[in-house]
Amino acid sequence: APAARPAAAHARAAHVAVGNIHVDAELKRVVDEEILPGTGVDPAVYWEGVDRIVTGLSAENKACLEERDDMQRKIDTFHRDQPGAPDPAKYRQFLEGIGYLLPLNGSPVALRTERVDPEIATIAGPQLVCPVDNARFIVNACNARWGSLLDALYGTDVVPGDRSGPYNEARGARVFDKTHELLDGIFPLADGASWSDATHLCVSGGALVVRTAKGNVTLQHGGHTVGFHGEAASPRSILLENNGLHMELLVDREHPVGKGHPAGLKDVQVESALTAICDAEDSACAVDAEDKIRAYRNWTGLMKGELSVPMEKGGRVFDRRQNEDRTWTGASGSGTVRLPGRALLLCRNVGLHMYTDAVTAGPARAPVPEHFVDAAVTILAAVHDLRGPSAGRNSRAGSIYIVKPKMHSPREVALVCDLFAQCEDLLGLARNTVKVGVMDEERRATLNLPEMIRPAQDRLVFINTGFLDRTGDEIHTSMAAGAMLPKADIKQAAWYNAYEEANVAVGIECGLIGKGQIGKGMWAAPDNMAQMVAEKAGHLRAGASCAWGPSPTAATLHALHYHQTSVAAVQRSLTAAAEERTTKAVRDRLLSIPLAPAGHQWDPAAVQRELDNNAQGLLGYVSKWVGQGVGCSKVNDLNDVALMEDRATLRISSQHIANWLRHGVVTEAQVMETLERMAKVVDGQNAGDKAYKPMAPGFDGPEWHAALDLVFKGCETPNGYTEFTLTQRRRERKAMDA
């Protein structure tokens, strides 16, 4: 590995020699005994193939990382020589000269991706991202394909009022009022009737019929009725469809909820998370072979359909398993309608910059690129979904979906595609069985996105934007140019809207519609669902076919947006303007650096508020990541609003402090005082957590030192990535607790 990316020092675990590589003994046993059986792949052949991959591709991986570092050094020198906002023409010429900014090669690449499941290719809907190292979370995410609308409304602030205590009939009535309002908008009834008028539901002539006091009415627009359970004249459930998504009306007049509704409606089941990313990267915490094994086991269990988690609810102990598919009688009364009971699963591997000693190479036993191991094992595990008794349980199209984060250049995408091709050859898979998602979260990738797509034109199924990581790289790339704006103002700067618009436009221009997803980022406040319902529809209006939510409940509520807005229609309307959003003028906006104006007069109180906010969020996340191995967690901010935090939020906070420190907006003494004060706040917020390790008053544990490293070494850390520091300090904590 390059010198800037060392693996953390530790006592060497037992490894087994396989050709030129050494594999952690327990990892090899798990692969040989738990993952390989049933795939038709011989263990000796498999490990020989992994050896070939590591031996053959490591030099190119190293060269890609060295290219990143070399470009950053040149950019730093450019800004040191001419600080402040650069002259646009000179800046562009400089970036073109070092190969950072690639020429626009005329016609956009035309995607040729085939065998893509409709949840990715043609149906727009919510997407979850969940740490694959947490079995309970990932099973819940898998099962979030369907969710209760009444539960989502009753249990969140979408319906105002007190939610505590046992079931409240008055609140339940307000939930039904909201449900009727939503159904009136999504499935309007004919003749001006409202769902609040319904007294009986049935299916007749292949269509829903709703009885009201004024007579029977049907849906205003035909074609929405798909199926039912029970007798058509008095069904237990009725399945409706709109914009490719489904809702199921559950009827039971004997149920405690249903008996209070005039039509006996006890719930509305909403098709929610169409897809879920099983994350081995930003939201996971995997720092050694032991952690990687846990992640690989969970992913294998998902692919086999065997992953289960012991649960306790109401004093009852049971195993939560992956849901089975759902079936209904066709609306005409004949045939069977079958829909998946689970989200379609993708796996996010780590980026090119991480190295692992779970596998080492050569006489020096050097750590190898971790994403090589991720690809070899996660693709192997997914073979269970292509062969044998579990075939087609996840992908009915016969594909494997791997999301790749933090790629900077077309060269890096080409390396990943080569890696996938070698995995396919090793496992006997047809070429391009493994599909790739390219995350647009690095500045160089954004500027060159059409060319990033070109090497993956036979595999690409996903691009997306993410404000947090993308802003972290925006800050780090231009670290030497000057002091950045406050974070809220960075999001209002010219580059940001250009980034969001250009990503959609590039996806449309290259033909991603009908072949893959155009995604938008996470709603970070899981307890603020009313605000999410009010605002997140903007992602659809921008042309996104999927967007991330923080929980299964959020996915159910966000699914309403896809009923209310036809993403297909939005994307058609954007097609004509797509070319205008990928031009040189848009690149100029993307190249504008969100710097504070020259001579800016900083308000000391505002600076301190920003510093407090950054420090508190950073410490709140690091303390759990390093101290407890929690990769994604709800962290209360200074106003005690719970926010979802992962490494992307950590990257922007640490880089922002490092930038202000470098340019004198804050002082080292001020940063230290703030960190110590905020550490006490975070300790207090976690006082009820028995596993939490306080940072104050000693200020000497791995958690504290991780925070200091992230801030005070933030300028020198490659690309401002936090993984190197977190991994080192987490391993220290594990050694201390062993």
Side-chain angles (χ1 to χ4, degrees):
R5 299 171 175 83
H10 75 298
R12 187 180 300 281
H15 279 59
V16 178
V18 183
N20 298 303
I21 62 174
H22 289 76
V23 184
D24 177 89
E26 180 62 9
L27 172 61
K28 186 174 186 302
R29 188 197 67 76
V30 168
V31 171
D32 289 351
E33 298 179 10
E34 300 179 24
I35 306 179
L36 276 164
T39 64
V41 180
D42 179 76
V45 172
Y46 174 77
W47 289 112
E48 288 171 6
V50 174
D51 182 11
R52 284 195 304 274
I53 288 170
V54 170
T55 302
L57 297 181
S58 288
E60 177 63 5
N61 199 88
K62 182 173 183 287
C64 287
L65 298 180
E66 289 173 342
E67 180 180 78
R68 292 183 189 179
D69 294 344
D70 181 61
M71 285 190 177
Q72 186 61 56
R73 283 191 294 269
K74 291 174 179 176
I75 291 170
D76 287 344
T77 299
F78 174 89
H79 287 306
R80 279 196 298 267
D81 291 345
Q82 40 195 317
D87 175 80
K90 291 181 179 179
Y91 188 45
R92 173 186 280 272
Q93 183 179 24
F94 161 72
L95 294 177
E96 289 172 345
I98 66 171
Y100 185 94
L101 189 62
L102 300 175
L104 294 171
N105 287 328
S107 301
V109 63
L111 288 185
R112 302 188 295 239
T113 314
E114 298 178 346
R115 291 181 293 140
V116 184
D117 288 274
E119 292 94 331
I120 289 177
T122 57
I123 309 174
Q127 185 171 71
L128 292 178
V129 183
C130 188
V132 73
D133 58 343
N134 187 309
R136 180 170 67 87
F137 285 3
I138 205 66
V139 169
N140 286 344
C142 177
N143 289 343
R145 180 64 175 255
W146 295 88
S148 166
L149 178 60
L150 268 64
D151 285 352
L153 295 175
Y154 189 97
T156 69
D157 62 348
V158 175
V159 173
D162 183 21
R163 308 191 296 274
S164 63
Y167 180 75
N168 182 303
E169 291 188 1
R171 181 168 179 79
R174 292 195 297 275
V175 166
F176 269 122
D177 289 343
K178 184 65 176 179
T179 301
H180 296 150
E181 175 191 325
L182 290 166
L183 291 174
D184 285 342
I186 296 168
F187 298 108
L189 301 177
D191 301 330
S194 168
W195 282 88
S196 61
D197 302 327
T199 59
H200 181 75
L201 307 178
C202 68
V203 176
S204 179
L208 171 68
V209 176
V210 179
R211 183 186 303 162
T212 74
K214 296 181 180 180
N216 292 342
V217 295
T218 59
L219 294 175
Q220 189 177 99
H221 308 293
H224 290 296
T225 309
V226 177
F228 62 89
H229 276 143
E231 300 296 325
S234 186
R236 298 191 305 275
S237 77
I238 301 170
L239 184 68
L240 304 177
E241 179 273 333
N242 178 58
N243 291 339
L245 292 175
H246 298 82
M247 285 192 188
E248 183 184 23
L249 311 178
L250 301 181
V251 181
D252 184 351
R253 294 185 181 275
E254 302 302 316
H255 188 273
V257 174
K259 68 183 180 182
H261 188 273
L265 190 67
K266 74 170 183 179
D267 199 5
V268 177
Q269 284 280 306
V270 177
E271 192 175 16
S272 302
L274 293 186
T275 55
I277 296 176
C278 304
D279 189 18
E281 198 236 359
D282 259 11
S283 67
C285 178
V287 303
D288 53 24
E290 176 187 36
D291 293 343
K292 298 298 291 188
I293 288 168
R294 182 169 60 253
Y296 294 153
R297 273 182 166 145
N298 288 347
W299 173 246
T300 303
L302 291 169
M303 292 297 97
K304 290 181 176 181
E306 297 175 353
L307 186 62
S308 64
V309 184
M311 303 285 290
E312 182 177 350
K313 189 173 183 179
R316 184 172 65 93
V317 178
F318 61 97
D319 282 344
R320 175 160 291 170
R321 301 179 179 276
Q322 296 163 253
N323 289 339
E324 298 300 323
D325 290 347
R326 298 186 174 201
T327 59
W328 296 261
T329 302
S332 65
S334 63
T336 300
V337 176
R338 178 181 294 272
L339 292 174
R342 303 161 305 283
L344 179 72
L345 303 179
L346 307 85
C347 185
R348 181 162 66 172
N349 292 179
V350 302
L352 275 67
H353 56 289
M354 293 303 293
Y355 280 67
T356 179
D357 52 22
V359 178
T360 60
R365 305 279 294 274
V368 307
E370 187 174 334
H371 74 112
F372 290 0
V373 184
D374 272 3
V377 179
T378 59
I379 293 171
L380 169 67
V383 170
H384 288 286
D385 187 55
L386 306 181
R387 301 171 184 159
S390 302
R393 186 175 175 85
N394 186 53
S395 171
R396 289 157 177 79
S399 288
I400 297 168
Y401 301 101
I402 304 294
V403 177
K404 290 298 297 184
K406 298 178 175 60
M407 293 191 291
H408 291 238
S409 69
R411 180 181 182 179
E412 295 181 15
V413 178
L415 169 62
V416 166
C417 290
D418 192 2
L419 169 64
F420 288 176
Q422 292 197 34
C423 288
E424 288 165 345
D425 293 343
L426 168 60
L427 302 174
L429 302 175
R431 183 63 78 237
N432 302 319
T433 295
V434 184
K435 306 303 191 289
V436 66
V438 174
M439 300 191 67
D440 178 7
E441 54 187 355
E442 308 298 325
R443 191 172 189 252
R444 183 156 58 121
T446 298
L447 290 161
N448 302 302
L449 188 57
E451 294 308 306
M452 295 282 289
I453 289 171
R454 197 173 298 277
Q457 63 181 346
D458 295 309
R459 297 184 185 273
L460 188 75
V461 292
F462 172 87
I463 60 174
N464 79 330
T465 57
F467 166 73
L468 295 168
D469 257 315
R470 180 63 180 76
T471 304
D473 196 55
E474 187 77 23
I475 296 171
H476 188 86
T477 300
S478 304
M479 181 68 75
M484 295 289 163
L485 293 165
K487 286 192 299 187
D489 294 336
I490 290 177
K491 197 169 186 178
Q492 302 304 316
W495 75 273
Y496 180 69
N497 280 338
Y499 162 59
E500 293 286 357
E501 292 172 3
N503 179 274
V504 174
V506 169
I508 291 173
E509 272 205 302
C510 74
L512 194 56
I513 296 174
K515 295 182 181 294
Q517 295 173 314
I518 300 174
K520 296 293 182 186
M522 178 67 73
W523 179 263
D527 297 333
N528 294 359
M529 289 293 97
Q531 186 181 0
M532 186 200 77
V533 168
E535 296 180 8
K536 201 167 174 64
H539 283 158
L540 284 68
R541 293 192 292 270
S545 55
C546 69
W548 291 355
S551 67
T553 295
T556 296
L557 294 170
H558 183 39
L560 301 173
H561 294 138
Y562 296 87
H563 284 284
Q564 295 160 342
T565 299
S566 168
V567 171
V570 171
Q571 291 177 336
R572 285 194 298 270
S573 73
L574 293 173
T575 299
E579 186 176 349
E580 300 174 5
R581 294 176 176 172
T582 57
T583 61
K584 177 179 178 296
V586 174
R587 269 188 160 187
D588 287 341
R589 289 167 59 202
L590 288 168
L591 286 170
S592 63
I593 304 171
L595 294 170
H600 181 69
Q601 298 298 308
W602 297 95
D603 173 24
V607 167
Q608 188 61 56
R609 284 195 299 271
E610 184 88 1
L611 183 58
D612 284 355
N613 178 272
N614 279 329
Q616 188 269 343
L618 183 154
L619 289 162
Y621 179 70
V622 167
S623 61
K624 290 191 175 183
W625 207 103
V626 174
Q628 300 179 43
V630 178
C632 182
S633 57
K634 285 204 300 186
V635 176
N636 285 355
D637 66 10
L638 284 172
N639 298 313
D640 279 329
V641 175
L643 300 176
M644 295 299 297
E645 301 277 353
D646 66 7
R647 291 203 299 255
T649 54
L650 181 63
R651 186 182 183 192
I652 184 175
S653 295
S654 58
Q655 286 296 292
H656 199 260
I657 298 175
N659 173 265
W660 277 15
L661 184 60
R662 174 172 181 150
H663 295 285
V665 180
V666 295
T667 67
E668 182 174 338
Q670 183 181 10
V671 171
M672 283 298 298
E673 185 278 329
T674 301
L675 286 170
E676 290 183 357
R677 180 164 43 83
M678 288 299 112
K680 296 173 184 176
V681 171
V682 171
D683 287 350
Q685 290 174 325
N686 289 277
D689 182 355
K690 293 181 180 178
Y692 179 80
K693 298 170 177 63
M695 292 172 282
F699 300 119
D700 196 32
E703 298 80 9
W704 175 250
H705 286 291
L708 298 185
D709 290 346
L710 288 165
V711 171
F712 292 108
K713 298 180 181 178
C715 295
E716 63 196 62
T717 303
N719 304 106
Y721 290 139
T722 63
E723 294 92 314
F724 313 120
T725 294
L726 290 174
T727 297
Q728 174 189 347
R729 297 301 183 177
R730 173 62 186 156
R731 291 176 76 144
E732 289 177 12
R733 172 52 70 186
K734 290 184 74 172
M736 291 169 65
D737 292 347

